[in-house]
Amino acid sequence: MSVRSCVPSLADSATNTLPSGLGLYIHVPFCLQKCLYCSFYSVTNQPDLYNRYAAAVKEQILRFAERSDIQAQQVHTIFFGGGTPSILGSDLLTRLLKNCFLNFDCAPGLETSLEVNPATVDQAALHELRRAGFNRISIGVQSFDDRELEVLGRVHSAADGIRTVQMARRAGFSNINLDLMYGLPDQDKHKWQESLQQALSLQPEHLSLYELTMEGNTPFAQRYDRGELRLPEEEVVLAMVATTEEMVTAAGLHRYEISNYARPDRKCSHNINYWHNASWLGLGPGAVSSLNGCKIKTISDVECFCQPGANKEERETLDNEAAFRETVVMGLRMIGGIGLEELEKRFAINAISYYGTTLDRLIAHNLVTIEEGRLRLTGQGLLLANTVMAELV
Ligand code: SF4
């Protein structure tokens, strides 16, 4: 299934400027149990690995911190994602965050995010994490309907989701994201509106709203192929998308990326850095770094990752043209699109001449537009974003 989205709101300058500095991502590949729709690499029931994992991440931090190109840049965002980072517990997470602060040149007041799943943290842990320096929490609630959560194979209830947001507020987090999914089996527009309304009533600063995608080799895809799951028809999903824009905008959040909405000063700087295809360092099993035109992928296998001193990284250098196309496709995810002059400065390639008739055709079909020197998806283009990007990648 493709990402189908709705009409864009206006671009703003904060998301349009190429970020300076480095993003730091730490991948935590552990989960309590595997959700039935998930195709990401993660392992379950391996708490004996947590300490070895943390030691291996520290080893990677120390190694990268010695590089002169890393020392020359300030870290502007830190993001612990997964997996379910919160199952590591507050002590290990605090230690890892301290290692980042100690070994990299971190900008004062940098955005420091942690992904949390409901039912994996308590009040004391959230207080400790806030004190340690995490200032943004991203909570994977996915739905506020218990039946939907059960179908998805999530470990938590709707009440757990609400409680986690309330505990995060009490712990002092003033920057909270909620992840929700729509287009779920047997979900109709009304059920989606109820989940979204519940999310909005918790007054999050940020929402990430994704359409469920059917990924091969998941229990979900197998059930779907056997005819055991009934997904909403396309027009129902389009109605969900339309109601999303209305409800979220009325609540004071604005769409700034295909799937992301935020209050004006609460966009996720870490992800904006990715969408600009700027520089970041990715540590932990399966994480990818993008540094000076070079991609460095850390081995996905957590057991191998935990072996001290083992060679864990593969390098791939992208040629200028491939990096240019990647940057165009990433940049189009943002509602404000991508500046053509900035692109030409970075890659010495003029996007209009480079894409030629392909771009003419996309413009003629009202899927992309060029306004004020920026190439961006139109409302129609956002609905067909995957198709448009396949033409440009
Ligand atoms: S918690 Fe997230 S990463 Fe883990 S199995 Fe579920 S969807 Fe996948």
Side-chain angles (χ1 to χ4, degrees), residues 30-31 33-35 37-40 42 82-84 117 142 154:
F30 303 108
C31 292
Q33 74 177 31
K34 204 73 197 163
C35 302
Y37 57 91
C38 179
S39 63
F40 294 134
S42 66
T84 307
N117 274 347
Q142 312 309 349
R154 302 288 296 181

Side-chain angles (χ1 to χ4, degrees), residues 237-273:
V237 175
L238 288 173
M240 290 178 188
V241 166
T243 200
T244 299
E245 184 80 14
E246 281 164 25
M247 290 173 66
V248 172
T249 305
L253 285 83
H254 300 287
R255 191 181 193 191
Y256 68 103
E257 192 263 355
I258 290 178
S259 309
N260 286 282
Y261 300 77
R263 300 200 185 284
D265 54 345
R266 294 300 197 200
K267 297 180 187 75
C268 179
S269 304
H270 186 81
N271 287 339
I272 289 172
N273 191 51

Side-chain angles (χ1 to χ4, degrees), residues 45-354:
N45 289 320
Q46 305 241 26
D48 47 316
L49 275 181
Y50 296 173
N51 278 308
R52 285 172 58 209
Y53 158 84
V57 172
K58 184 178 175 189
E59 182 188 296
Q60 245 191 336
I61 289 173
L62 294 175
R63 201 151 30 79
F64 276 100
E66 280 175 0
R67 283 176 50 154
S68 55
D69 59 334
I70 300 287
Q71 287 169 1
Q73 298 186 69
Q74 206 170 38
V75 171
H76 280 200
T77 61
I78 300 178
F79 195 108
F80 282 59
T84 307
S86 45
I87 68 171
L88 284 185
S90 51
D91 285 356
L92 267 191
L93 288 167
T94 298
R95 258 169 43 205
L96 281 173
L97 184 61
K98 261 191 196 148
N99 280 320
C100 299
F101 288 156
L102 279 174
N103 290 291
F104 298 112
D105 176 13
C106 293
L110 78 173
E111 177 189 280
T112 312
S113 302
L114 175 68
E115 284 183 349
V116 162
N117 274 347
T120 62
V121 279
D122 59 18
Q123 186 67 70
L126 285 164
H127 273 296
E128 202 179 316
L129 291 163
R130 181 69 193 93
R131 271 197 302 273
F134 287 102
N135 53 25
R136 183 175 184 274
I137 287 270
S138 178
I139 305 173
V141 293
Q142 312 309 349
S143 166
F144 284 105
D145 179 301
D146 281 335
R147 201 203 60 83
E148 288 173 0
L149 289 169
E150 194 185 328
V151 171
L152 292 170
R154 302 288 296 181
V155 290
H156 56 88
S157 65
D160 290 330
I162 295 170
R163 216 172 7 255
T164 306
V165 178
Q166 292 166 339
M167 288 191 300
R169 287 280 183 232
R170 278 199 293 276
F173 285 96
S174 58
N175 196 358
I176 296 179
N177 170 60
L178 302 182
D179 281 349
L180 284 180
M181 289 198 299
Y182 61 92
L184 306 182
D186 294 323
Q187 191 181 45
D188 58 19
K189 180 180 155 190
H190 180 66
K191 281 191 192 156
W192 166 241
Q193 283 174 317
E194 281 184 345
S195 255
L196 186 56
Q197 191 49 51
Q198 175 61 72
L200 292 170
S201 72
L202 295 165
Q203 302 188 303
E205 283 70 29
H206 193 285
L207 283 174
S208 295
L209 309 176
Y210 298 100
E211 184 184 350
L212 173 71
T213 52
M214 212 42 87
E215 304 288 345
N217 275 334
T218 59
F220 232 60
Q222 287 155 10
R223 287 190 64 195
Y224 181 69
D225 290 344
R226 290 198 299 267
E228 293 168 13
L229 290 178
R230 206 164 43 94
L231 293 180
E233 297 293 330
E234 181 154 2
E235 60 271 23
V236 176
V237 175
L238 288 173
M240 290 178 188
V241 166
T243 200
T244 299
E245 184 80 14
E246 281 164 25
M247 290 173 66
V248 172
T249 305
L253 285 83
H254 300 287
R255 191 181 193 191
Y256 68 103
E257 192 263 355
I258 290 178
S259 309
N260 286 282
Y261 300 77
R263 300 200 185 284
D265 54 345
R266 294 300 197 200
K267 297 180 187 75
C268 179
S269 304
H270 186 81
N271 287 339
I272 289 172
N273 191 51
Y274 291 140
W275 298 320
H276 278 281
N277 210 6
S279 297
W280 67 87
L281 184 55
L283 308 179
V288 177
S289 303
S290 181
L291 298 166
N292 316 317
C294 181
K295 299 272 189 228
I296 305 171
K297 178 158 195 272
T298 302
I299 188 167
S300 291
D301 186 299
V302 68
E303 280 283 355
C304 296
F305 176 76
C306 290
Q307 303 289 330
N311 181 19
K312 299 165 189 170
E313 288 136 23
E314 273 177 13
R315 273 148 224 274
E316 182 198 353
T317 305
L318 282 189
D319 65 39
N320 186 57
E321 207 176 315
F324 163 81
R325 289 198 306 268
E326 189 180 74
T327 304
V328 170
V329 168
M330 297 291 282
L332 281 177
R333 294 194 60 87
M334 289 184 292
I335 300 303
I338 184 156
L340 295 174
E341 211 179 296
E342 169 198 314
L343 260 181
E344 194 159 350
K345 252 193 229 153
R346 269 178 86 178
F347 300 100
I349 298 176
N350 179 289
I352 297 176
S353 336
Y354 180 82

